[in-house]
Amino acid sequence: MALSFVSAAVIAQALASGIDVRQFDASVRAQDDFFTYVNGKWLAATPIPPDKSKWGADYELTESIQPQLRELIEPIALERSAPHSEEQKIGDLYAGFMDEARLEDLGLKALEAELAGVAALAGKDAIPALIAHFQQIRVNAPYALYIDQDERNSNAYIAHLSQAGLGLPDRDYYLKDGDARLKSIRRQYLAHVEKMLALAGDRSAAKNARDILALETDLARAQWTKVQNRDPIKTYNKVEFVRLKTLAAAYDWPSYLAAAKLEGKDDACIVSQPSYIRGFASALNKTPLSVWKSYFKWHLLSAHARFLDSRFVAEDFAFNGTVLRDTPENELRWKRGVKLVEESMGEALGKLYVARYFPAESKGRVTALVRNLLAAYAQSIETLDWMDSATKTEARIKLAKVTIKIGYPDRWRDYSRLDIVHGDLIGNVLRANRFEYERNIAKLGKPIDRSEWFMTAQTVNAYYNAGMNEVVFQSAYLQPPFFIPNADDAINYGDVGATIGHEISHAFDDEGSQFDGDGNLRDWWTKGDRARFKARTKALVAQYNAYSPLPGYHVNGELTLGENIADISGLAIAYKAYRISLAGGEAPTIDGLTGDQRFFVGYALSWEDKSRDAEIIRRIKVDPHAPEKFRCNGALINQSAFSDAFGVTPRDKMYLPPEKRVVIW
């Protein structure tokens, strides 16, 4: 399946633009649907692979990286490296996953001790400690614990408690009775839970599955929506440990805090959804212990199904892969083995990946591109007509404090305390999850580690972290098709430049703008500026609400607002940065395209994507990103430079009157 992009070698020889214009769909006018005009031939000719629910440029790049990671892992899995070395741990972890014959022989035996712990629950007073244990081994529980910066004191770590505990992707799957698709998925979920329990020897699997669904439905009713959870003010509720009983009086918080290893570490935590904790306490009180035992057994099985024998693997994929995502086939086992290593020892694998595959010169070229983007932001602040001088001063301060990380960490994570045992897959998974839990708990009371990365170098992605006020670009992303070292600047500014601009824009979107340059949740806007900002974002919500990827399903403009702001702002800033790079001149016409046209083509190519219907629905419910077609066209219609470059007129579908274009940066 060929990319619409071409390799750097081909570019150097024949396509200095980095664009293969033969891939354009001449049956579609650029002025009516730019996404399809640029990507139409790829969309028509490229099937979604049978082991994927979604496919596009980023997925193709990720897929090309997997064999590279396999080539790094398999030799050390065979050679038995020095004991306690990172190579030994990577090799034994992978080898244990690949030993299917042993896993078939073991069946559920490797999980017996954990299952026995659930079966031994003698009363509800033991549930807090069990929840703490589940959090340590990364098993879904009614509420989650994570360690992060205190949003109002970015120099300190603090524990956060948030809603969790559902087996389906979102509360809507339980509560939207008017949606036939979601009701069907709910029925199939019930059957899936029953099958999993039956495989584990539960003779009352059907009844217990119904009880589990009823309990999860109660939890879903108490949960906040994805839109509500986007509000950093409402989700910041600092509660002293001794006052947690005001949220759940009968719950044994001291027992939980001790089992979670929080006792003595701090005296308070952030409760993201206080009303949910009350709802959980109510469900705990009214639901019989026997139902809770079935619930915990189910989630223990679900979390470890992919590490058990083929019966559990097949049933787990049949629901989570096929029902939820429409994916016909599971990935090859070696790919799943690579993913396990990435989940458990991602930075150790990243160290090997960077040493072999990341060219140092790419970092320098991208660094120069970032400087132009920051300069474009600085210029934009000066010319904003909706922001007054006081807010502009704060915006300049925040922009100046943005940290940019490119490629890979300066200091790699230490895995010396992680114990990986040859031939003990479930044990290794449990120990790896405990290791990560302990690593994070150990942060409490210590200075913020601003060198930490929250994605691995081999991940095809980038992110903005509001608490750190940093933008991070992984080395895997900085290669074709997203960054083409030998291509004309236009396509790189339109692609990776817009991505960089997008991530920087998160510092000033509806959520990020509530944090200052030091990463603290603080209102640094004047009331007038905030009102004008909200008026513009309200128009953006309405624009995206109108987009419908499937009949009966619309994009949620409120859920996707932050990403939509970052898309239109990042694109606008990338275009300004591109013009800065031309130093007042004009780019040559290449392959029949002006520099501006190549810039916008590069942007459209970056959204090359197609998804299965069930995956589209799932993402509409849980993903803060709109579907790629609407991210592309939705951002473009708000850019006057795009309309000028392609001669868009009021007769065209991509036309938006200038007075209705949302311009933020």
Side-chain angles (χ1 to χ4, degrees), residues 431-456:
R431 284 186 289 272
N433 289 335
R434 287 196 196 96
F435 167 82
E436 182 62 12
Y437 182 89
E438 296 279 359
R439 186 184 72 82
N440 280 288
I441 287 291
K443 294 177 181 179
L444 293 171
K446 294 181 180 177
I448 298 296
D449 179 6
R450 298 188 180 276
S451 69
E452 184 176 10
W453 285 49
F454 297 96
M455 287 184 185
T456 62

Side-chain angles (χ1 to χ4, degrees), residues 428-569:
N428 289 335
V429 169
L430 293 171
R431 284 186 289 272
N433 289 335
R434 287 196 196 96
F435 167 82
E436 182 62 12
Y437 182 89
E438 296 279 359
R439 186 184 72 82
N440 280 288
I441 287 291
K443 294 177 181 179
L444 293 171
K446 294 181 180 177
I448 298 296
D449 179 6
R450 298 188 180 276
S451 69
E452 184 176 10
W453 285 49
F454 297 96
M455 287 184 185
T456 62
Q458 64 272 25
T459 301
V460 181
N461 211 333
Y463 66 90
Y464 173 75
N465 183 325
M468 299 282 195
N469 192 25
E470 66 180 11
V471 175
V472 185
F473 297 90
Q474 285 65 33
S475 58
Y477 188 84
L478 303 176
Q479 59 182 308
F482 297 109
F483 175 65
I484 307 175
N486 297 323
D488 170 68
D489 269 349
I491 190 174
N492 284 324
Y493 273 92
D495 192 334
V496 72
T499 300
I500 294 170
H502 170 102
E503 298 304 339
I504 297 173
S505 293
H506 277 310
F508 303 98
D509 69 17
D510 61 318
E511 285 187 271
S513 64
Q514 298 183 66
F515 293 81
D516 64 20
D518 295 319
N520 291 308
L521 188 56
R522 177 176 70 84
D523 188 3
W524 49 272
W525 293 57
T526 65
K527 289 183 178 180
D529 287 344
R530 182 62 70 181
R532 287 186 286 273
F533 179 79
K534 286 185 175 180
R536 292 171 187 240
T537 59
K538 183 179 179 181
L540 209 57
V541 168
Q543 176 187 326
Y544 282 81
N545 278 341
Y547 294 140
S548 175
L550 287 174
Y553 293 90
H554 283 256
V555 175
N556 186 333
E558 290 183 288
L559 175 61
T560 59
L561 179 58
E563 298 298 333
N564 299 334
I565 291 170
D567 282 343
I568 68 166
S569 301

Side-chain angles (χ1 to χ4, degrees), residues 560-594:
T560 59
L561 179 58
E563 298 298 333
N564 299 334
I565 291 170
D567 282 343
I568 68 166
S569 301
L571 179 57
I573 292 299
Y575 177 74
K576 291 179 181 179
Y578 172 59
R579 299 304 302 186
I580 289 173
S581 75
L582 296 175
E586 285 296 329
T589 296
I590 306 175
D591 293 328
L593 299 170
T594 67

Side-chain angles (χ1 to χ4, degrees), residues 255-295:
S255 174
Y256 167 74
L257 294 170
K261 304 182 181 182
L262 291 172
E263 194 177 52
K265 289 279 189 180
D266 212 335
D267 60 0
C269 62
I270 307 299
V271 179
S272 299
Q273 305 92 6
S275 64
Y276 171 76
I277 297 298
R278 296 188 187 98
F280 156 66
S282 175
L284 179 61
N285 179 58
K286 74 178 185 180
T287 304
L289 176 64
S290 60
V291 176
W292 280 106
K293 291 170 74 170
S294 295
Y295 168 87

